């Protein structure tokens, strides 16, 4: 009889339930949830009570969520004993377990109970512990062309707190006789042996949405949401390793285009965001990966604002989007009305992700290292002109200056250079100078001045050779 029950308990079922007994009790009941005092809420192991049973899917997170909450709220967790059993065998196992509890030290009884026993302490969350810098193997960094001096305090803090570097770092690695250079974010992860390994999150041209992601295929809705918002917009059941399915949030790392997943039970949904209280529906929507519009939030400087918030799996926190405010709606309409495309490169200068983002939001950016028509470098403030669907260049920041400059004006250091090289303009100092001016140059250099004097002398001689006109 016991062997048959044991086989039943070990058999893989679609759903299991938890039986619980109090210390020294021989009356197992089915767990239905948690009471306010942290003790298990229970019902009798009868079929009519099945709707109240806490159901545990084979790969679900219900068991872990329950045990984590139980360990956090219960004042006497060792006062209870839990057993996981198949739902369809609950009647038989509950009766037999009741008899076994009357003689728990019997070897046969003890062996069976230990095989179906669930230990709550196994689900207790470990206290957070940052990485000790002394554990870092800097040779792993040096193999990528990065030394310790290149890591500033902000980057180091992120690494020591198990996070990715906040910015992209230039890395190089040798593959055979070739050297590969790229930009990447880095992070530290601990393997099963407790050793820290350096993880490279390389920049991808675009998110890989069509291939398998954490063991599953994304739906078309998931792909569309990720392209439009950077988030899947729902909880996705992933399977990062065989037979280990879990509910997770999925987002795009905006710096690398890497798809990032974080287990849903690792994200705590707050009761308030920036002073705005969330109702139950809003908390439910956030926990399901949806976007929620909040009003009446307060910024650090005390100003009230509204925004949409959504779980960002990459940052493991809330992302704020201001598309729903009246001002942003106006900007969004302007974006839809204009066909202007934000470039990734401007006159030879690469634009960072942040610069492109700022331009899309109609902010002014400062770009260095652009090349004029004569092949010389110059710098300028740049802003999108939505009316003319073009870029305007300024010699000063138009957002701060009282008066804006001309539509195409480099900064002061490059003003004369671009006027001469790109626009064909001259003044007395640059008159007859044929060679392009360098960045920051406003008058001819010694070589250019000598050539200028030589050209003036040649013109005088030519004029004399023609003689006087009668």
């Amino acid at each position: 009889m016991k062997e048959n029950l044991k086989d039943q308990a070990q058999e893989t079922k679609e759903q299991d339930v938890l039986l619980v007994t109090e210390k020294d009790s021989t009356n197992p009941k089915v767990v239905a949830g948690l009471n306010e005092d942290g003790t298990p809420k229970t019902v009798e192991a009868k079929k009519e009570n099945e709707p109240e049973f806490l159901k545990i899917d084979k790969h679900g997170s219900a068991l872990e969520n329950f045990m984590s909450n139980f360990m956090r709220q219960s004042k006497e967790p060792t006062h209870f004993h839990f057993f996981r059993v198949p739902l369809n065998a609950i009647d038989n196992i509950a009766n037999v377990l009741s008899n076994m509890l009357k003689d728990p030290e019997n070897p046969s009884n003890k062996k069976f109970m230990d095989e179906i026993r669930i230990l709550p302490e196994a689900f207790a969350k470990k206290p957070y512990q940052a990485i000790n810098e002394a554990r870092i193997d800097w040779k792993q960094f040096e193999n990528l062309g990065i030394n310790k001096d290149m890591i500033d305090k902000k980057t180091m803090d992120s690494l020591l707190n198990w996070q990715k570097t906040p910015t992209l770092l230039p890395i190089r690695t040798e593959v055979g006789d070739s050297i590969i250079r790229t930009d990447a974010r880095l992070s530290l992860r601990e393997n099963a042996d407790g050793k820290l390994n350096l993880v490279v999150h390389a920049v991808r041209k675009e998110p890989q949405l069509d291939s398998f992601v954490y063991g599953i295929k994304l739906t078309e809705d998931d792909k569309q949401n990720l392209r439009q918002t950077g988030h899947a917009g729902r909880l996705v059941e992933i399977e990062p390793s065989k037979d280990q399915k879990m509910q997770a949030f999925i987002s795009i790392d905006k710096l690398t285009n890497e798809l990032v997943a974080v287990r849903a039970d690792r994200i705590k949904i707050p009761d308030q965001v920036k002073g705005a209280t969330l109702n139950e529906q809003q908390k439910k929507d956030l926990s399901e990966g949806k976007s929620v519009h909040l009003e009446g939030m307060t910024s650090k400087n005390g100003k009230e604002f509204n925004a949409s918030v959504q779980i960002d799996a990459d940052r493991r926190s809330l992302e704020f989007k201001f598309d729903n405010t009246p001002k942003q709606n106006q900007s969004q309409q302007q974006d839809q009305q204009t066909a202007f495309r934000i470039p990734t490169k401007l006159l030879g200068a690469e634009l960072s992700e942040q610069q492109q983002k700022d331009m899309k939001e109609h902010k002014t950016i400062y770009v260095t290292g652009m090349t004029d028509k004569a092949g010389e470098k110059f710098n300028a403030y740049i802003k999108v002109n939505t009316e003319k669907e073009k870029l305007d260049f300024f010699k000063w920041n138009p957002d701060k200056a009282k008066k804006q400059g001309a539509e195409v004006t480099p900064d002061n250091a490059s003003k004369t250079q671009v006027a001469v090289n790109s626009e064909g303009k001259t003044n007395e100092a640059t008159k007859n100078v044929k060679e392009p001016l360098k960045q920051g140059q406003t008058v001819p250099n010694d070589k250019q001045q000598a050539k200028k004097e030589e050209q003036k002398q040649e013109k005088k001689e030519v004029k004399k050779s023609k003689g006087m006109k009668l």
Side-chain angles (χ1 to χ4, degrees):
M1 175 86 175
K2 293 177 184 176
E3 289 301 319
N4 291 336
L5 288 171
K6 176 181 174 181
D7 291 340
Q8 277 185 301
Q10 290 178 331
E11 207 173 316
T12 300
K13 302 297 178 183
E14 288 186 4
Q15 287 186 319
D16 293 340
V17 294
L18 279 179
L19 287 175
V20 62
T21 63
E22 294 189 50
K23 194 174 183 178
D24 300 327
S25 171
T26 61
N27 181 25
K29 296 183 179 181
V30 182
V31 172
L34 274 180
N35 293 312
E36 291 183 3
D37 61 359
T39 59
K41 182 189 297 183
T42 60
V43 293
E44 294 293 335
K46 297 180 179 179
K47 190 170 184 62
E48 59 262 33
N49 294 329
E50 183 178 331
E52 298 181 59
F53 294 172
L54 174 68
K55 307 288 191 349
I56 302 171
D57 293 333
K58 180 183 176 184
H59 304 296
S61 58
L63 176 62
E64 183 170 354
N65 289 340
F66 172 81
M67 285 299 178
S68 296
N69 292 330
F70 171 72
M71 288 298 293
R72 187 172 64 253
Q73 299 178 38
S74 177
K75 296 179 180 179
E76 296 181 271
T78 58
H79 184 71
F80 300 92
H81 301 286
F82 295 90
F83 305 91
R84 179 172 179 170
V85 298
L87 173 61
N88 63 354
I90 186 66
D91 292 333
N92 290 336
I93 294 181
N95 291 330
V96 172
L97 183 60
S98 177
N99 291 325
M100 290 182 175
L101 288 167
K102 296 174 183 177
D103 187 14
E105 295 306 315
N106 180 294
S108 178
N109 293 347
K110 187 176 187 302
K111 183 179 179 182
F112 175 75
M113 289 191 293
D114 286 346
E115 289 180 356
I116 63 173
R117 188 187 303 274
I118 296 294
L119 299 175
E121 56 267 31
F123 296 86
K125 292 186 177 180
K126 297 180 181 179
Y128 176 80
Q129 187 173 7
I131 299 171
N132 186 334
E133 187 178 336
R135 296 180 59 195
I136 297 178
D137 180 5
W138 288 103
K139 289 183 179 179
Q140 295 183 31
F141 286 78
E142 292 168 1
N143 290 338
L144 297 176
I146 297 175
N147 58 52
K148 188 175 179 179
D149 294 336
M150 297 170 63
I151 306 296
D152 59 25
K153 185 181 184 304
K154 184 177 180 181
T155 301
M156 178 63 77
D157 287 344
S158 296
L159 288 171
L160 296 181
N161 283 285
W162 306 97
Q163 299 171 3
K164 296 179 187 177
T165 55
T167 58
L168 295 172
L169 297 174
I171 65 172
R172 62 183 295 277
T173 182
E174 296 182 7
V175 179
D177 296 331
S178 302
I179 295 179
I180 298 176
R181 300 177 187 273
T182 186
D183 291 331
R185 298 177 75 182
L186 304 177
S187 65
L188 294 169
R189 294 291 181 268
E190 194 174 54
N191 61 21
D193 298 328
K195 180 183 177 182
L196 283 179
N197 288 329
L198 182 63
V199 180
V200 178
H201 307 271
V203 173
R204 295 158 172 77
K205 185 178 180 181
E206 58 185 18
Q208 303 299 309
L209 303 180
D210 294 323
S211 57
F212 275 89
V213 179
Y214 295 98
I216 57 99
K217 280 276 192 178
L218 296 170
T219 67
E220 291 303 317
D221 286 343
D222 293 336
K223 297 176 188 177
Q224 183 176 353
N225 288 335
L226 284 163
R227 292 189 185 101
Q228 292 179 349
T229 69
H231 312 293
R234 70 178 182 98
L235 283 181
V236 181
E237 186 177 62
I238 63 174
E239 191 173 9
S241 55
K242 189 176 180 181
D243 294 333
Q244 288 190 359
K245 293 183 180 180
M246 62 189 69
Q247 298 292 314
F249 299 99
I250 294 183
S251 302
I252 295 175
D253 181 333
K254 295 175 178 59
L255 291 181
T256 66
N257 278 330
E258 176 187 24
L259 284 174
V260 181
V262 60
R263 286 174 51 164
D265 58 355
R266 299 287 171 86
I267 301 294
K268 182 181 178 181
I269 305 301
D271 294 322
Q272 287 190 339
V273 177
K274 301 286 186 181
T277 301
L278 278 66
N279 59 38
E280 290 304 315
Q281 185 60 48
Q282 289 171 325
K283 288 192 283 188
K284 180 177 182 294
D285 288 344
L286 279 178
S287 68
E288 295 174 352
K290 299 174 183 177
S291 174
V292 173
H293 181 64
L294 295 181
E295 298 183 352
M297 291 180 285
T298 306
S299 64
K300 290 182 179 180
N301 59 13
K303 292 184 178 179
E304 190 173 292
F305 71 98
N306 308 328
S308 292
V309 296
Q310 192 169 13
I311 298 296
D312 186 330
D314 180 48
R315 297 166 55 190
R316 298 194 173 198
S317 62
L318 290 175
E319 179 187 46
F320 292 78
K321 291 186 177 180
F322 301 91
D323 298 341
N324 291 337
T325 62
K327 182 178 179 181
Q328 291 298 324
N329 280 338
Q330 185 179 2
S331 297
Q332 191 175 29
Q333 290 170 4
Q334 289 176 344
D335 286 339
Q336 293 172 350
Q337 291 170 0
T338 179
F340 185 81
R341 178 178 173 272
I342 302 299
T344 58
K345 182 183 288 189
L346 187 61
L347 298 179
E350 295 282 352
L351 298 183
S352 67
E353 295 275 350
Q354 186 61 48
Q355 286 176 316
Q356 295 176 52
K357 180 176 180 292
D358 288 344
M359 290 178 72
K360 288 178 182 177
E361 296 175 358
H362 308 287
K363 296 179 182 178
T364 299
I365 65 172
Y366 184 71
V367 181
T368 61
M370 292 180 287
T371 305
D372 63 20
K373 292 181 180 179
E376 298 298 331
K377 301 292 185 183
F378 76 101
N379 313 326
Y381 287 97
I382 299 172
K383 189 172 185 179
V384 175
N385 186 325
T386 55
E387 293 181 1
K388 298 183 179 180
E389 297 185 10
K390 61 186 285 293
L391 293 178
D392 284 348
F393 291 63
F394 301 91
K395 64 182 177 182
W396 52 65
N397 189 336
D399 295 337
K400 296 182 179 180
K402 293 182 179 179
K403 295 182 180 179
Q404 294 186 357
E407 287 187 357
V408 181
T409 312
D411 70 354
N412 288 329
S414 306
K415 179 180 178 182
T416 304
Q417 169 212 339
V418 176
V420 173
N421 294 353
S422 295
E423 301 172 5
K425 297 179 181 179
T426 61
N427 55 21
E428 191 60 32
T430 59
K431 193 174 182 181
N432 298 322
V433 175
K434 301 301 182 182
E435 293 183 5
L437 299 182
K438 302 291 185 181
Q439 184 173 359
Q441 187 177 351
T442 59
V443 296
N445 56 32
D446 292 343
K447 183 179 177 182
Q448 291 169 333
Q449 184 64 35
K451 194 162 186 179
K452 176 182 174 183
E453 294 298 331
E454 182 181 339
Q455 290 170 342
K456 288 172 66 177
Q457 187 61 33
E458 288 176 354
K459 286 184 177 180
K460 288 181 180 179
E461 291 176 357
V462 171
K463 189 174 181 180
K464 286 182 180 180
S465 65
K466 291 183 180 180
M468 295 180 62
K469 292 184 179 179
L470 295 177

